[in-house]
Structures are given as C-alpha cells and as structure tokens.
Amino acid sequence: MKKRNLLPILLSALPLCACQDRQASPFDGLPVHEMIASGVKAPVDIFRDEHGIPHIYGDSLTDVVYAQGYVMAQDRLVQMDLLRHFASGTVAELLGALQEDLIDSDISMRVHHLRPTAEQVWQQISASSTDEDKALVQALSRFAAGVNAYITELSAGNRTLPTVLNLIYNVQNTTPWTEVDSLVLARLQAFELSFDPGSELDRTQAEAMAAKVFKDAADPRKGLWADLFRVAPIADAYILPDAQSCGMAAGMTNPPRPLPAGKAPAAVSGWARVRKALFGIGLSRAINQARGSNNWVVGPALTGSGHAIVSNDTHLSLSNPPVFYLSHLVVRDQVNLMGVQFPGLPGVVLGMNDHLAWGATVTNADVTDVYHEDILDCGDGSLCVSWRDPAQPATQKKVPLKKRVEIIRIGRLGKIVDQRTVTLWDVPHHGPLLPHLSGHDVAAPRIGTPEISVRYTGYQPTHEVRAILTLDQAHSVDEGIAAIERDFSVGGQNWNMADTSGRIGWTTHVNLPRRPVGAQPWYVLPGDGTAEWAADGVPAAQQPRALDASCGMVVTANNDPLGSTRQGGSPPGLIYHGWNYDVGARADRITTLLRQGKATPERLSVEKMQAIQADHHAYLGQLLLPVLMDAAGKLTQEVATPGTYPDLSLVARSLDDPGKARLADALARLSGWQLTTASGLDNETTPAEVAESIATSIFHVWLNEFVSRTLGDELKAIDDAILPDTTPHPYGSFQHKLVIAAALHPEQLHVGRQGNGDSILFDDVSTAGRTETLREVAAGALVGALQLLSTQLGADAGQWQWGRMHRLTLNSPLPIDALNIPNAKDPNFPTGAPRHGDLYSVDVGDFGLRRDKPQLLADYTYRDGPAIRFVAELGTDGPRGFNVLPGGEIFDPDSPHYADQFTLWRHNQAFPLPFDPAAVAASAQIEESHGGTSRVRLIPDPGKAQ
C-alpha cells in the first residue's frame, strides 16, 4: 500500500466523503489518512476506537474482509504466523535449531494432518459452483490479500515490527498468507476444543493399575478402579432436562439406548511410549484443566427491559497476545457485525449483528476413540493390523498400514539450516498410530508389538468457516441455528442465541460417532473390528437442542447436556454423547443466581449478567467447609481436654503453642467466611474482603492437603505401578469428585467403609495397625496447611491474602519476559497480578492439583480463564453489547493498546462496544484526542483496473 493525497479520487467517493448533497455524518470531524490499496474496489474506512478496535466500513464484504486481514496483520501478524506454523507442524522452521523440542511438537501435530485436511476443504469449496461457496472462496482470498499487503509493507521496510519482536522474529522469512492458512487455523481451534484421546488412555491405564494393585478379594479398596473416574457431577446441573422442565421446545427425539456399565480394563501396552506425543496437543486436560466456558441466554420474560440477553465468557488460555481479536465489520445495507475472532480468520466467531447475538461453550462431546492395534507381518515383511470388517465379520483380515513420510525442516529465525525425514503410519479404517518420540524422531512400529491408533471426527474435511460466515449474516435464531446445524461439524459447542424479536435458542449439533451397543468409548477400545463406528453418525434429531421457553433461560458451562451422568457410578447410564464433562458447579451457581435475579422486582439486566460473570463464590467451600469446621472444632476440644476425641489425639499432640494459636485463629476466621474468594489485594482491599481473602487461603491450602492425605497413598501406589519415578498421572477434577463423595456420600462408592461409616479412603495404607478417620485426616490437613502458610507467607495470618498466592501472568508464546503481562519488572505485580476466584467459581481461576510441584506459591497460580466477557442485550432497535479482552488489542509494547484492557479485565469491568455510527465516531474521537490515528481510508489504486 502507498500513502498518497488524491483529492480528485476522494471527492468522487461520495458515500464516504463530505459533500454538499448528503446529510452530515458523525464521522465528518475525524481527519482522514488516505492510503492506496490495490485490493479494494471501492473506498473503505477503518476507524480505530479508544481501545484500538478497528471498525471497518465498506460497500462489499470482499472489501471489508480485505481490510480486516490488513489491520489484523498489522496488530497480530506474529501471533497469526506462529499459530499457522503450530497448526501445520512447522514451528521448527522458525526456531528448531535453537529449541530442539519444537521438532517433537511438529511431529506430534503432523500426525493429525490438520494442514492436508484444510487443503482438502479448500479444494472442495474452490470446485463448488454454489453462490455461497463462491462467496466464501472470495472472502478467504480477499482476507489473505489484506494480510499479504501488510507483509509486503514490512518486507519493503515501509512498516516495522516492534523492536523486541525483531530480536527473534525475522519478517523477511515470513511467507505469504494463503486461504489454506486461515482454514488450517479454523481446524486448529476445533482440534484444541475436541480432540481428547488422552482421557481414554489415562483412564484405561489408571483403572487397570488400580485393579492390579488393589486386587485381593478382602481388600476394601478392591473397587477403587471403579471410583477413580467418577462421572457423576458434584452438582445436579443438566442443560436439556432444565430446558424441558421449564417449557422449552427441546430435543431429542428417539434417544439412543444407554451403553452398558464399564468393567475393569486391561492395561494398555505402549501407553508410556505415546504419552509424550499427546502432551499439550488438542484438549490436553493434563495441562488445561479449566479449558471450557460459561454461556447462558435469558428470554425477555425474565428481564427488566423486556429484551433477551446473551452472556458468554470463554475459558481458554490467558496469554499475551489474547486468544481473541475484536473487530467491527460493516457492509452498507447488508452486514453490521461486531465481536471476536481467532487471529488469522475472517469474520466474527462470537458476537452480534443488527438482529442476533450468540455465544458458545465447549460441549465435551466424545468424538475421539482410541484403539489397541495388533501389528502383524503382512506376509512379505511389511506391517499390517488384524481386523474384522463389520460388513464381513466372519473374515479376519490383515490390513496394511499406510506409510506417511514427513519432512521436518529446522530453522533459525525462519532460515532453514537442516531437515529431518520422519515416517508416520496410519491404520486405514481408524486413523494415525500415535508415535513413539525418541531423539526427535519416531520409532517405527514393530511386528508383534501392540500400538495405539486414534479415530477422530475432525480427520475428515468439514466446513466450520462457512458455518460461521453464514451465522454472521443471520437475521434470526432460526437462521443462526440452521447455519450451525448444517455446517458446524467439528469442535462441538453449546451455541446460545437470542434475536431482537425476543426468541432464544440453543443447539449442540456436531458430527457424533454412532458406536455399537456394548462399546465402552471411555476406555481404549479393541482394534479388531468389534468397536467400529457406523457409516452414518448420530442424526440431528438425536442431538440436544432447544428453542424458546416460558421460563426463558438456557445455561451451559461444559456440563452434562443430557443428565446421563446423574446416577454416578463407573459409568452406568452413559450414552453416546460424552462422559468427561465439567463437575457442574459453575452451571449450578449461574442457574441459582439467575433464578434469584428474576425473582427481584427489577428482574434480570445486563448489569446482573456482568455480576454473575464476576461471581467468585467458593463452590467447594460450600460443600466441604462443614467437614473442615467439624474437624477443627473437635480438634480444639481435644487440645483443651485430651481424650475427648481419641481419633484426634495424635494430631492434637503434634501441636506446639504457636500451632495451637494458629488453630484457634484459623477457626475464628473460617467461622466468618462468607464463601467469597476475594484476592485481598489490588481492588479488593476492604477489611471484609481481606478477611474473606485470608479464609480463602486457609481453605484452599487445606483442600489440597486434604485431597493429598486422602488419596495420596492410593494414587502413589497406582502411579508407581504405571510409570515409577515419573510425573504423576493426571487425575484433575476427578480427585475432587472422589474426595467429595468419600466425605459426604461414602455409600455411593465401590470401595468399602470403616466401622464408623467413614470411607476406607481416609485410612492411610502405609500406617499398619491403625485406621485413620475422616475427622483425623481433615484435622491433620488443617494443621499441615497452617504450618505451610506460616512457613511460606509468614507467621502473621493477617498477611495471608489469597492474592499473594492466586496470581496470573499473561505469558507470551515467545521466550521474552518483557512480553509477559505483568512482567518481572512490573513495579506492582512482578510475580503476577492477584486475582479472586478458584477451581470451580463462575469467574474461574483453576490452579489445579499438581502433585509433582508441591511448592505453595507456584501451585496457586493459574493460566486458563475468561478470554472474553461478552454480554449483549437484544433490543428491538438492535443490540447493546459489552466486552473486554485479557490484555490488549495490539501486540506491540509501544502501543497504548498493548495492555490497556488488562486492568478492566482483572477488575471484571467490560466496556460498551461502539456499534452504531455515532458511538463509533465518539470513541474514535477519543482515540484521536489521545494522539492516535482514528481514521484510515483505503482507496482503490487508480492505475489498476477494478
């Protein structure tokens, strides 16, 4: 692009410029910075508001998405480029010579062929003759052209990257953007929210080892394998049953039959060899325990304004730059669209237009199966698997593996200095074999050695980008749901929508495999042909959805949509949809707050939706504080009068005078705890908030101690049987579900109980000759927690604010501390910003249970949470929206919009989205007054025929 003053051309652009024959525009007072752009056919105006968000006005969608590609690259090119390299398995081309582990990452991603599948999608839509696909092809092409216009400017030296990025990123080695790059990023997002073979592998191996370790018929822990991965939530919060109970026109019709209960699985050969290839790939629950979202919609009957409201806060990685990019796209007389998009894609994935608003949460549908494959000699020395085709079950076949050769190029700042040839293998009827990574290479499968393959619905070309661009232009809930149910096939989401007529709707449609009755997809399945998917998937009529309601609400928070996990167990009642759902705490809390709000005279409002997004109620405190208080109170009595509670005598005798003082102080603080999780720092520093904060610290350190002392002995025995002396097995939220059941409902478990009714899990297997009780474990955990807090935060309990431990840093993917927010030189928060919230609060701050890292301060930091806080009210005259990003719009430390939204975000404040021209102009005027460039006009090149 070239800057040029072309007054004659400007005067000819009547829709965009001041002239005597038209009405005054709210934009007239903004100075215009003109740029010639060969990629537009008519002038396009780009307004930057006070947060740096681009508002793009043009006469055609192709011109508008061209401009979107240009400004998105201007703000996030490095992020876009890193993402396309990661999705394509080519990160080693950038930095592999400096960081050899990137070679392994590339190999792991190449296994799942995201880029070749995206190329198939591009070929399909390019060959299509439908007007819709022709428009899609044009939009992707024009978006790519806009990105490349900026890359060209950088390469020519007309633009520069921030100095700190130039240290490790060489723009001269940046290849042009292509349509496939956008499509591969769409597949990456679906992959990261749905590809989950690790859960089946981990569950299979852990349960098998539990059955092996605790196998004696007389052992009261014999049933532990069936309790380790309890599917029952900790709260009865189910989407479809709630919708049906309040008058929603809700699916499903002809629900499928339940699958049978599980049985103790056999150990999986090769599990340890492939575990490394899954770490950090897809929906990796080992490192992303809080990945999910909150999303709810309420109808006009529940709101004070009489308008429907959509609320959505997506729980993804909290990083710098943010996961999402905000933009506003206006095609005159056609589209008025604003919201967030993943950098590298055109349009808006979550947001609003003149008629409709929508949000999404991950459904946790099970769309991945893992198979145990027997590797055989085909007869000529080549490799086969043994399989019985369900269409010909009497015939045992030897099916040759397909070989895939991948070239991993290795670079330094994008300059290629080496390469490696890697061979991958696919089972034709299932999918790829998970590789054994060794020495930054892949060990070949061996005859007679079992291997593990993966089947995933996302391995086939699908059209999610078409679904989103159609949704962007929908005029009603019916049209929006139709767009999703036709084309959104991978990366299952709970889509909640509302329109300006007051209608609300919810759909979960996605490609779901139809498995045979008797298959147990929560385990590794036999690869012999007995657990194959049917040729057709689960029909739309059997997938949960709902339209309209007299009670007027649908709440989703990654919880069970069907109620199939209600009865618990391991796992009776499970059906095709899934098994590894959220624990249900957020959904239950949101529903409770909505019901309370609708009962007030003023009913529900945008402000109440925002308050619910900010809610940091301690749900686990609600359940387990009585257990803690009972143990603490009785321990206090045992200290005062030895022998009152003999099971607490050892704990009481362990207390010295400072320990007794800490116990009394903690009991007093916990007695007044209102179950909020204030940080006690930053903007939460009233005396009441500090008091809540200290009680929060005591409870959560106790919680980790309590879980560890309850399950640590059993889990260590299982871990040692799986992989001795390695990183502990990831059990995540299943630990909490099991401990809660053991403490509150031991009768629901398969393991035995003590004579006093306590679960046998509270007995430590390493202390022969005595049996520990629930009360003793809870009391000992409190003593240990108070000692740990005193050691690491000081003896003064008045300094034990939750925010001193529960902190957040937005880490950059680039290894430069200066790009972290806050960074180590930040004068206020050099070790991270203090935050409220906890494991299962609505405003989630999941610090996890990392048993391999017991250090107190490290354990309570977190990295996943709300990537947006979107609320939109759908009035008859259009939407009123609010949003905020965790960080800033522009990835440039020298920009005022680099981190300007972070303070708002961490204080749970969202800003009104400028949507109508007057609001856009007013916000752009503020940007201009602060020294920014508020208006850029792209003008067609007069020397190029349009």
Side-chain angles (χ1 to χ4, degrees), residues 204-205 208-209 212 265-269 271 372:
T204 301
Q205 201 70 359
M209 292 301 102
K212 178 180 178 181
V268 180
S269 299
W271 175 87
H372 189 274

Side-chain angles (χ1 to χ4, degrees), residues 547 728 764:
L547 290 171
D764 190 336

